[in-house]
Amino acid sequence: KQKVLEIVCEKTGYPPDMLDLDLDLEADLGIDTVKQAETFAAIREAYGIPRDENLKLRDYPTLAHAIGFVKERRTDKAGATAPASGDAQPAAATTAAAEVIKGSLEAAARIPRRVPKAVLRPALEQCKPSGVHLGPDSRVVVMLDGGGVGKALVKRLDKLGVTTLVIDDVPSREELADRLQKWAEEGPIQGLYWLPALESEGNHSDLDLDGWRNGLELRVKLLYTAARALYEQFDKEGTFLVSATRLGGRHGYEDSGATSPMGGAVVGFTKAFKRERPASIVKAVDFPATRKTAELADALIAEATTDPGATEIGIVDGKRWTVALVEEDLDDANPGMELGADTVYVVTGAAGSIVSAITADLASADGGSFHLLDLTPEPDPDDADIRRFTEDRDALKLEIFERIKAAGERATPAMVEKQLASLERAHAALEAIEAVRAAGGTAHYHSVDLKDAAGVRSVIEKVREQSGKIDVLLHAAGLERSRRLPDKEPSEFDLIFDVKADGWFNLMSAAGDMPIASTVCFSSIAGRFGNAGQSDYSSANDLLCKCTSNLRSTRGQTRGIVIDWTAWGGIGMATRGSIPEVMKAVGIDMLDPEAGIAMIRHELTGGGRRGEILVAERLGVLLEEFDDEGGLDRSRVDTSVRGPMTGEVVAMGVNDGLHVRTRLDPAKQPFLHDHQIDDTPVLPGVMGIEGFCEAAGLLLPEWTAVSIEDVRFLAPFKFYRNEPREVDLYTQLTSDGQEIVAHCRLVGSRMVKGSDAPRVTTHFTAKVRMTLEVPAEQKADAPPADGEGVGATDVYRVYFHGPAYQVLDKAWRHGDGVVGRLAQELPANHDPGDAPLTACPRLIELCFQAAGVWQIGKTGRMGLPSRIARVALPPRKADGDLFAVVSAANGDERYDAVVVDGSGRVQVALEGYETATLPSELPSEERAPLAAAVSVEA
């Protein structure tokens, strides 16, 4: 008994005199299931009890049960050595005052800025079968929509011999659960099609709260009921759950925004269900608004039976899409908001510790008027317990325990924690109020239940009367209680979902036509990826994402932002209990609070972008693919006409995109053998660009690469000891209007001495823009006549290039720049020599080298390629010699260039070519001919 109590004290932080043997571990001690598992693991270790895979924690609900577990299972009846007393003692009785953490815009800017984007999936004929087989042995539940898609689906399933169990009404949750239980008792159920979110929602401004709730009851709460009732049916391969939505065909990640945004709740739930039932095929399939039924029904069958690699699928214009994260900088070309004394804020969840800190950070921008909303009553600044909460929390905990006992109640740690949690929220609310006032702002505190439409309307009417506008509506309220579906009761699902969902609706409904400059909603990585035990949280968060996306079409003047937060470190709920250990175990970083606190100010003021942003560093397990090849059947990707940078197709992951691996050998490839620095072959940056164009066209052979944008040469790719290496090309294909943009990375990995894992480096990145329309031929001025300049002999005394890359025949000054003529009869660039090229790499190289003549002649130093803003690839049809015309008007490290033939027909054009200047100055005898060519003294 004593040993077990010491272990529990260590895990919970409670002293032994607060623990009774009949206390329920969860209900009375507040120990969640993860912490229970840790506690039992510590007990097993202390007593040498073997791990039992079939152990069910719910069979040991109390401390007495935990002690009984030891008596039953221990093999050493004499007992085991208890943890050292110093290790098993509860935390010290006195806690120092908590340090106030302030936000830092610099820290916020260091966090990778990832945004969800619709990215291309392979065509179904290029994908693997999912393992779902629909036929006479299949029994499938279909919840119909009101538009006929479900009826068309049922007809097709019937033709396949499937037994369809159709729900063609809107039952209550109890009726639905009973019906599904009866069907399950009659035989196994292989799959569930959930189609209510295909129905139009109309304009949300025309809904009242009952209409809003009824719409979500039909779409997501009945889905929760169905998935919970059939939970045990989906524990093996060959089963499936497919939901369908009308968010627009790309899940709302398009310029026009999401249509029928209630579907976001369905998608969020579906993603969470996949995390709980990973063996099953689980998909949310999104469509645009259309009257077609047969086509959608065929797609729903195909998605169930094909492509095990993705959960979010969109279908539009004959192409399949999913959602992935793409790094995207703030749009600093468009100004962000100016926060100041006239800014009006409405903040929900204001008594949360994280929200309180963010409020203080926003107020630091010269005050403002803050309307702080929370269920917590307005705090009394003279309440001694609120002050003691941070100054002496452990002593306060014991005092509260004694108060409960003195009142004649049964005191439990859970009761103590409940009162402490109330004090914590009161303390956070008070800190927010005081921070606003200290910054010279005005704080208005409103104790209100966000689910109460009348109460929220009353608050917003006060805002209207006082200001007539809202500049920042920050919807941060929310609850989170992790429990898997079998253990998640309807009342809990409703509470967690409704605070976010009804709160949003009530706020926007009450605001009506009042100007709102920006909204910021709190979502989470659970909303983006789904998470086991968080079906309600994920559903509500993804609903907020899609409602925010919908603002683009319904409230275009409002800039809608959603933050998908990872768990915070140092502040908030996630810092307690087992969450930090769990996050570390699955490779997910906790968020630096200095960065998180300033993140909203950073987004609002740093630029004009809108939409959903994920705020996290490493995401660990969340980025693991559901299938090793990403659902792609690699043998079905046509690589018969391949360029020199295209090797084997490895996978088509949701998160990495198309992965192509190419083995390059300096002994075979001229572009490596003739591109050596200090006797080490280095992959030319122009061949990296070529690789990007080749990879971008693999899945879209009928499309044309018209430009390469934002090219960054981050690190040289070297072939040490002249040995072959593998180049990994990753390509994510997104849409931009009628064009496709490929986000590309060139990555290398190698083993280094003293390391057990390979060192992985991203060497180059770029975006390739593609179009179905062949671009028009471009014309420029004809090249100027030859002038006095520098020839190849003197150029390649300076440059390191071998014959295949000695592309410059002659260079001479022209205005504020230089002209370089392409050498004739160059050796082959690559092997095999007939492998097609897409990006004319040696013409781009001609621009590099011509610009280098100017830079060396002017400065005496060589510059290596660093960045290109844009490379245009018009149709190429040359007549005679080719010339690179380079302008150095932007300085000695930034150039524009165009390659033309004798008639001025453009072959390639560069904008914003930048170099990284090497530190050492070249010898004067090498520099002199180049300096003379650009008319500068050597």
Side-chain angles (χ1 to χ4, degrees):
K1 170 183 172 181
Q2 185 61 32
K3 293 172 185 176
V4 170
L5 285 178
E6 287 179 349
I7 293 172
V8 174
C9 287
E10 179 189 16
K11 292 294 180 183
T12 64
Y14 288 113
D17 57 1
M18 288 179 64
L19 303 179
D20 292 332
L21 297 186
D22 61 346
L23 292 177
D24 186 282
L25 293 174
E26 185 165 10
D28 295 326
L29 293 179
I31 303 176
D32 62 27
T33 53
V34 174
K35 182 62 73 175
Q36 286 181 48
E38 290 181 1
T39 302
F40 268 77
I43 291 171
R44 285 192 297 99
E45 182 179 359
Y47 287 92
I49 299 172
R51 179 180 176 83
D52 181 357
E53 296 291 345
N54 298 316
L55 178 70
K56 296 180 180 179
L57 293 176
R58 61 176 174 265
D59 293 335
Y60 299 91
T62 68
L63 287 173
H65 285 95
I67 294 167
F69 167 81
V70 175
K71 292 180 177 178
E72 295 168 4
R73 304 290 185 105
R74 70 180 183 184
T75 55
D76 177 9
K77 296 302 179 182
T81 302
S85 58
D87 296 332
Q89 292 302 308
T94 301
T95 304
E99 180 183 354
V100 175
I101 305 174
K102 293 186 177 181
S104 163
L105 289 176
E106 291 76 15
R110 289 194 293 268
I111 301 294
R113 191 179 185 280
R114 302 183 181 103
V115 299
K117 293 270 190 181
V119 298
L120 195 70
R121 287 294 293 162
L124 282 170
E125 55 268 22
Q126 295 176 314
C127 293
K128 296 178 179 180
S130 70
V132 172
H133 303 283
L134 294 172
D137 295 331
S138 303
R139 299 176 73 242
V140 174
V141 175
V142 182
M143 176 67 167
L144 298 183
D145 62 314
V149 176
K151 291 180 179 178
L153 174 63
V154 169
K155 288 181 180 179
R156 281 155 174 74
L157 293 173
D158 288 345
K159 287 182 179 180
L160 294 172
V162 174
T163 299
T164 52
L165 308 169
V166 180
I167 307 168
D168 57 3
D169 58 345
V170 183
S172 68
R173 295 192 212 180
E174 294 76 13
E175 290 169 340
L176 178 59
D178 290 344
R179 195 180 305 178
L180 293 170
Q181 183 178 353
K182 180 181 178 182
W183 285 341
E185 290 171 353
E186 294 170 353
I189 292 176
Q190 182 184 3
L192 169 64
Y193 280 107
W194 193 262
L195 311 182
L198 289 175
E199 297 184 23
S200 173
E201 299 167 13
N203 192 326
H204 286 190
S205 63
D206 295 331
L207 295 176
D208 59 13
L209 182 57
D210 286 341
W212 167 260
R213 287 174 171 170
N214 290 339
L216 291 169
E217 178 76 18
L218 171 64
R219 289 164 175 79
V220 70
K221 293 189 178 180
L222 287 180
L223 173 58
Y224 148 77
T225 302
R228 191 167 182 247
L230 298 176
Y231 192 80
E232 298 303 326
Q233 303 287 323
F234 296 102
D235 64 343
K236 56 184 177 297
E237 295 180 0
T239 59
F240 70 93
L241 183 155
V242 174
S243 61
T245 58
R246 295 270 196 187
L247 294 165
R250 295 188 183 94
H251 286 271
Y253 297 103
E254 50 235 314
D255 291 341
S256 57
T259 58
S260 300
M262 287 185 190
V266 175
V267 177
F269 182 92
T270 303
K271 290 185 290 189
F273 189 78
K274 175 63 176 178
R275 297 288 176 179
E276 295 199 20
R277 284 304 194 220
S280 189
I281 293 298
V282 180
K283 291 185 180 182
V285 185
D286 186 46
F287 300 99
T290 173
R291 293 182 179 275
K292 297 177 181 178
T293 58
E295 185 178 307
L296 272 61
D298 290 337
L300 290 170
I301 291 175
E303 291 297 341
T305 58
T306 316
D307 187 4
T311 295
E312 292 169 287
I313 296 292
I315 301 175
V316 64
D317 296 335
K319 287 187 169 51
R320 302 173 69 242
W321 304 86
T322 190
V323 182
L325 298 174
V326 175
E327 289 202 23
E328 191 173 87
D329 293 336
L330 274 168
D331 183 15
D332 52 13
N334 293 313
M337 294 182 66
E338 291 188 11
L339 305 179
D342 295 331
T343 307
V344 178
Y345 302 85
V346 172
V347 181
T348 72
S353 55
I354 289 173
V355 185
S356 173
I358 289 171
T359 299
D361 181 76
L362 292 171
S364 70
D366 201 20
S369 178
F370 285 80
H371 293 266
L372 306 175
L373 285 63
D374 201 280
L375 189 60
T376 297
E378 182 168 1
D380 179 0
D382 296 324
D383 188 328
D385 282 352
I386 294 177
R387 298 296 182 187
R388 289 182 61 203
F389 175 79
T390 55
E391 296 169 358
D392 201 357
R393 187 175 188 276
D394 289 333
L396 179 61
K397 179 191 298 186
L398 291 172
E399 185 174 325
I400 291 173
F401 185 77
E402 294 301 326
R403 290 179 197 168
I404 296 172
K405 288 171 59 177
E409 300 180 53
R410 180 173 181 253
T412 66
M415 293 177 67
V416 174
E417 286 298 331
K418 185 177 180 180
Q419 291 195 28
L420 286 173
S422 178
L423 287 170
E424 179 178 19
R425 295 193 68 82
H427 176 266
L430 185 58
E431 282 196 324
I433 293 169
E434 292 177 342
V436 169
R437 291 171 179 166
T442 305
H444 310 273
Y445 191 88
H446 309 274
S447 179
V448 63
D449 183 348
L450 291 177
K451 304 190 303 299
D452 176 8
V456 172
R457 186 171 298 277
S458 175
V459 172
I460 298 301
E461 284 304 311
K462 292 176 183 176
V463 178
R464 190 189 305 274
E465 293 169 6
Q466 293 174 10
S467 305
K469 66 167 185 172
I470 298 173
D471 292 304
V472 180
L473 171 57
L474 175 56
H475 184 35
L479 299 169
E480 192 282 316
R481 295 174 187 170
S482 293
R483 265 189 271 266
R484 291 179 179 258
L485 275 176
D487 300 320
K488 188 167 286 293
E489 296 295 331
S491 59
E492 181 174 283
F493 188 99
D494 287 348
L495 175 62
I496 292 171
F497 182 86
D498 292 349
V499 168
K500 283 180 171 283
D502 289 359
W504 168 263
F505 179 83
N506 288 334
L507 287 163
M508 297 306 291
S509 178
D513 60 359
M514 181 164 51
I516 302 177
S518 63
T519 63
V520 182
C521 288
F522 273 30
S523 179
S524 71
I525 54 175
R528 173 82 299 278
F529 296 104
N531 195 25
Q534 294 184 318
S535 56
D536 40 16
Y537 198 59
S538 178
S539 299
N541 281 325
D542 213 4
L543 172 66
L544 294 180
C545 292
K546 302 313 187 286
C547 286
T548 299
S549 173
N550 179 252
L551 292 177
R552 298 177 196 174
S553 59
T554 60
R555 200 170 180 129
Q557 78 281 8
T558 298
R559 179 184 171 200
I561 298 172
V562 183
I563 308 288
D564 295 331
W565 298 108
T566 189
W568 288 52
I571 185 174
M573 295 180 295
T575 60
R576 300 172 197 152
S578 56
I579 292 178
E581 290 84 0
V582 171
M583 300 286 280
K584 182 179 180 181
V586 297
I588 300 175
D589 290 330
M590 305 286 278
L591 179 63
D592 173 9
E594 286 187 343
I597 290 168
M599 187 60 67
I600 291 176
R601 180 161 54 99
H602 178 259
E603 282 295 322
L604 289 173
T605 63
R609 291 200 187 276
R610 62 177 69 194
E612 186 178 343
I613 307 106
L614 186 135
V615 175
E617 294 191 84
R618 290 188 312 143
L619 288 166
V621 68
L622 294 176
L623 294 182
E624 292 181 1
E625 300 289 343
F626 293 124
D627 179 82
D628 289 342
E629 286 81 33
L632 181 71
D633 184 339
R634 298 180 294 166
S635 67
R636 298 183 183 182
V637 180
D638 184 10
T639 57
S640 58
V641 182
R642 69 174 73 194
M645 292 296 293
T646 301
E648 64 167 344
V649 174
V650 177
M652 180 73 176
V654 169
N655 300 298
D656 283 333
L658 182 67
H659 178 191
V660 176
R661 177 170 290 153
T662 305
R663 183 177 175 83
L664 296 177
D665 187 348
K668 295 181 179 179
Q669 288 296 352
F671 63 79
L672 295 177
H673 183 269
D674 289 350
H675 194 264
Q676 299 192 33
I677 300 176
D678 296 331
D679 297 324
T680 298
V682 179
L683 180 67
V686 295
M687 289 306 294
I689 293 174
E690 170 65 27
F692 291 155
C693 289
E694 290 179 20
L698 270 179
L699 294 181
L700 298 168
E702 70 278 17
W703 290 63
T704 300
V706 294
S707 65
I708 308 102
E709 301 165 3
D710 194 17
V711 185
R712 297 175 188 256
F713 304 106
L714 304 175
F717 190 107
K718 297 182 178 181
F719 291 76
Y720 300 95
R721 295 181 293 276
N722 279 277
E723 295 175 350
R725 283 188 69 184
E726 290 179 335
V727 173
D728 289 297
L729 294 165
Y730 295 94
T731 306
Q732 277 286 26
L733 297 152
T734 68
S735 66
D736 184 8
Q738 298 301 310
E739 298 176 328
I740 298 288
V741 177
H743 302 254
C744 305
R745 295 182 293 129
L746 188 149
V747 177
S749 62
R750 64 188 183 92
M751 297 300 300
V752 295
K753 187 175 181 180
S755 176
D756 296 330
R759 176 181 294 172
V760 179
T761 303
T762 298
H763 294 270
F764 309 152
T765 63
K767 300 172 186 175
V768 179
R769 186 170 295 273
M770 307 181 74
T771 179
L772 274 172
E773 297 182 5
V774 177
E777 184 178 85
Q778 295 183 19
K779 293 281 287 185
D781 294 336
D786 287 9
E788 292 296 326
V790 59
T793 300
D794 286 326
V795 167
Y796 293 104
R797 289 175 60 205
V798 177
Y799 286 168
F800 52 81
H801 305 81
Y805 269 66
Q806 291 181 358
V807 297
L808 193 60
D809 175 56
K810 182 181 179 181
W812 62 93
R813 179 162 182 165
H814 172 64
D816 288 327
V818 68
V819 176
R821 184 173 62 201
L822 181 69
Q824 300 294 311
E825 299 181 0
L826 286 167
N829 174 75
H830 52 274
D831 180 53
D834 60 352
L837 293 173
T838 303
C840 51
R842 287 198 290 197
L843 294 187
I844 301 174
E845 181 69 25
L846 177 65
C847 297
F848 288 1
Q849 293 188 21
V853 169
W854 176 272
Q855 184 173 9
I856 293 170
K858 287 271 287 182
T859 69
R861 291 180 171 83
M862 180 180 291
L864 298 180
S866 172
R867 182 176 181 268
I868 313 174
R870 184 173 182 268
V871 181
L873 299 174
R876 290 179 293 281
K877 186 178 180 182
D879 181 16
D881 288 346
L882 297 180
F883 304 84
V885 182
V886 179
S887 168
N890 293 319
D892 297 331
E893 294 184 357
R894 183 178 173 90
Y895 307 89
D896 295 333
V898 61
V899 176
V900 296
D901 69 2
S903 301
R905 283 183 293 203
V906 176
Q907 310 298 305
V908 66
L910 277 66
E911 298 173 13
Y913 167 55
E914 300 177 15
T915 66
T917 304
L918 299 179
S920 58
E921 189 169 303
L922 292 166
S924 59
E925 65 272 14
E926 293 183 5
R927 174 195 172 194
L930 281 71
V934 296
S935 301
V936 177
E937 291 186 8

